[in-house]
Coordinates of all heavy atoms in Angstrom, one line a residue:
A185 N -36.8 -7.0 -13.0 CA -35.6 -7.6 -13.6 C -34.8 -6.6 -14.5 O -34.9 -6.8 -15.7 CB -35.8 -8.9 -14.1
M186 N -34.2 -5.6 -13.9 CA -33.5 -4.7 -14.9 C -32.4 -4.0 -13.9 O -32.6 -3.8 -12.6 CB -34.4 -3.7 -15.4 CG -35.3 -3.0 -14.4 SD -36.5 -1.9 -15.3 CE -37.3 -1.0 -13.8
G187 N -31.3 -3.7 -14.5 CA -30.3 -3.1 -13.8 C -29.5 -2.0 -14.4 O -29.9 -1.7 -15.6
G188 N -28.5 -1.5 -13.8 CA -27.7 -0.5 -14.5 C -28.5 0.9 -14.6 O -29.6 1.2 -14.2
A189 N -28.0 1.7 -15.6 CA -28.6 3.1 -15.9 C -29.9 2.9 -16.5 O -30.8 3.8 -16.2 CB -27.7 3.8 -17.0
Q190 N -30.2 1.8 -17.2 CA -31.6 1.7 -17.8 C -32.6 1.6 -16.7 O -33.8 1.9 -16.9 CB -31.7 0.6 -18.9 CG -31.4 -0.9 -18.3 CD -29.9 -1.2 -18.4 OE1 -29.0 -0.3 -18.4 NE2 -29.6 -2.6 -18.5
A191 N -32.2 0.8 -15.6 CA -33.2 0.6 -14.5 C -33.5 2.0 -13.8 O -34.7 2.2 -13.5 CB -32.7 -0.4 -13.4
I192 N -32.4 2.8 -13.7 CA -32.8 4.1 -13.0 C -33.7 5.0 -14.0 O -34.6 5.7 -13.5 CB -31.4 4.8 -12.8 CG1 -30.5 3.9 -12.0 CG2 -31.6 6.2 -12.3 CD1 -31.0 3.7 -10.7
G193 N -33.4 5.0 -15.3 CA -34.3 5.6 -16.2 C -35.7 5.1 -16.1 O -36.7 6.0 -16.2
A194 N -35.9 3.8 -16.1 CA -37.2 3.3 -16.1 C -38.0 3.6 -14.8 O -39.1 4.0 -14.9 CB -37.2 1.7 -16.2
L195 N -37.2 3.6 -13.7 CA -37.9 4.1 -12.4 C -38.2 5.5 -12.4 O -39.2 6.0 -11.9 CB -37.0 3.7 -11.2 CG -36.7 2.3 -10.8 CD1 -35.6 2.3 -9.8 CD2 -38.0 1.6 -10.4
A196 N -37.4 6.3 -13.1 CA -37.7 7.8 -13.1 C -38.8 8.2 -14.1 O -39.6 9.0 -13.7 CB -36.4 8.5 -13.5
Y197 N -38.8 7.6 -15.2 CA -39.8 7.9 -16.3 C -41.0 7.1 -16.3 O -42.0 7.5 -16.8 CB -39.1 8.0 -17.7 CG -37.8 8.7 -17.7 CD1 -36.7 8.2 -18.3 CD2 -37.8 10.0 -17.2 CE1 -35.5 8.9 -18.3 CE2 -36.6 10.8 -17.3 CZ -35.4 10.2 -17.8 OH -34.3 10.9 -17.9
G198 N -40.9 5.7 -15.9 CA -41.9 4.8 -16.1 C -42.2 4.4 -17.4 O -41.6 4.9 -18.4
F199 N -43.1 3.4 -17.7 CA -43.6 3.2 -19.1 C -44.9 2.5 -19.0 O -45.3 2.0 -17.9 CB -42.5 2.2 -19.8 CG -41.9 1.1 -19.0 CD1 -42.8 0.0 -18.6 CD2 -40.6 1.1 -18.6 CE1 -42.2 -1.1 -17.9 CE2 -40.1 0.0 -17.9 CZ -40.9 -1.1 -17.5
D200 N -45.6 2.5 -20.1 CA -47.1 2.0 -20.1 C -47.3 1.4 -21.5 O -48.3 1.6 -22.1 CB -48.1 3.0 -19.8 CG -48.0 4.2 -20.7 OD1 -47.2 4.3 -21.6 OD2 -48.9 5.1 -20.4
D201 N -46.3 0.5 -21.9 CA -46.5 -0.1 -23.3 C -47.0 -1.6 -23.1 O -47.9 -1.9 -22.7 CB -45.4 0.1 -24.2 CG -44.0 0.1 -23.5 OD1 -43.9 -0.8 -22.6 OD2 -43.1 0.9 -23.6
A202 N -45.9 -2.5 -23.3 CA -46.1 -3.9 -23.0 C -46.3 -4.3 -21.6 O -47.0 -5.0 -21.2 CB -45.0 -4.8 -23.7
E203 N -45.6 -3.4 -20.8 CA -45.9 -3.6 -19.3 C -46.1 -2.2 -18.8 O -45.8 -1.2 -19.4 CB -44.5 -4.3 -18.8 CG -44.4 -5.6 -19.1 CD -43.2 -6.3 -18.4 OE1 -43.3 -6.6 -17.2 OE2 -42.1 -6.5 -19.1
V204 N -46.5 -2.1 -17.5 CA -46.8 -0.8 -16.8 C -45.9 -0.6 -15.7 O -45.9 -1.5 -14.8 CB -48.3 -0.7 -16.5 CG1 -48.4 0.6 -15.8 CG2 -49.2 -0.7 -17.7
L205 N -45.1 0.4 -15.6 CA -44.3 0.7 -14.6 C -44.7 2.3 -14.2 O -44.2 3.1 -15.0 CB -42.9 0.5 -14.7 CG -41.8 1.2 -13.7 CD1 -42.1 0.6 -12.3 CD2 -40.4 1.0 -14.2
E206 N -45.2 2.5 -13.1 CA -45.5 3.9 -12.8 C -44.3 4.6 -12.2 O -43.4 3.9 -11.5 CB -46.5 4.0 -11.5 CG -47.9 3.5 -12.0 CD -48.5 4.3 -13.1 OE1 -48.2 5.6 -13.2 OE2 -49.5 4.0 -13.8
P207 N -43.9 5.8 -12.7 CA -42.6 6.4 -12.2 C -42.7 6.7 -10.7 O -43.8 6.8 -10.1 CB -42.7 7.9 -13.0 CG -44.1 7.9 -13.4 CD -44.7 6.7 -13.6
V208 N -41.5 6.8 -10.2 CA -41.4 6.9 -8.7 C -41.1 8.4 -8.4 O -40.9 9.2 -9.2 CB -40.3 6.0 -8.1 CG1 -40.5 4.6 -8.6 CG2 -39.0 6.4 -8.7
D209 N -41.1 8.7 -7.1 CA -40.9 10.1 -6.7 C -39.5 10.2 -6.1 O -38.9 11.1 -6.0 CB -41.9 10.5 -5.5 CG -43.4 10.4 -5.9 OD1 -43.6 11.0 -7.0 OD2 -44.2 9.8 -5.2
L210 N -38.8 9.1 -5.7 CA -37.4 9.0 -5.2 C -36.8 7.7 -5.5 O -37.4 6.6 -5.5 CB -37.6 9.1 -3.7 CG -36.4 8.9 -2.8 CD1 -35.4 10.1 -2.9 CD2 -36.6 8.7 -1.3
I211 N -35.5 7.8 -5.8 CA -34.7 6.6 -6.1 C -33.6 6.5 -5.1 O -32.8 7.5 -5.0 CB -34.1 6.6 -7.5 CG1 -35.2 6.6 -8.7 CG2 -33.3 5.4 -7.8 CD1 -34.8 6.8 -10.0
T212 N -33.4 5.4 -4.4 CA -32.3 5.1 -3.5 C -31.6 3.9 -3.8 O -32.2 3.0 -4.5 CB -32.8 5.1 -2.1 OG1 -33.6 3.9 -1.9 CG2 -33.8 6.3 -1.8
G213 N -30.4 3.8 -3.2 CA -29.6 2.5 -3.5 C -28.3 2.8 -4.1 O -28.3 3.7 -5.0
P214 N -27.3 1.9 -3.9 CA -26.0 2.1 -4.4 C -26.0 1.5 -5.7 O -26.9 0.8 -6.2 CB -25.1 1.4 -3.4 CG -26.0 0.4 -2.8 CD -27.4 0.8 -2.7
G215 N -24.9 1.8 -6.5 CA -24.7 1.1 -7.9 C -23.3 1.5 -8.4 O -22.5 2.2 -7.7

Side-chain angles (χ1 to χ4, degrees):
M186 54 190 187
Q190 64 269 24
I192 301 302
L195 291 171
Y197 306 133
F199 45 70
D200 59 359
D201 37 43
E203 299 184 68
V204 177
L205 168 59
E206 293 294 337
V208 302
D209 301 309
L210 172 72
I211 298 174
T212 70

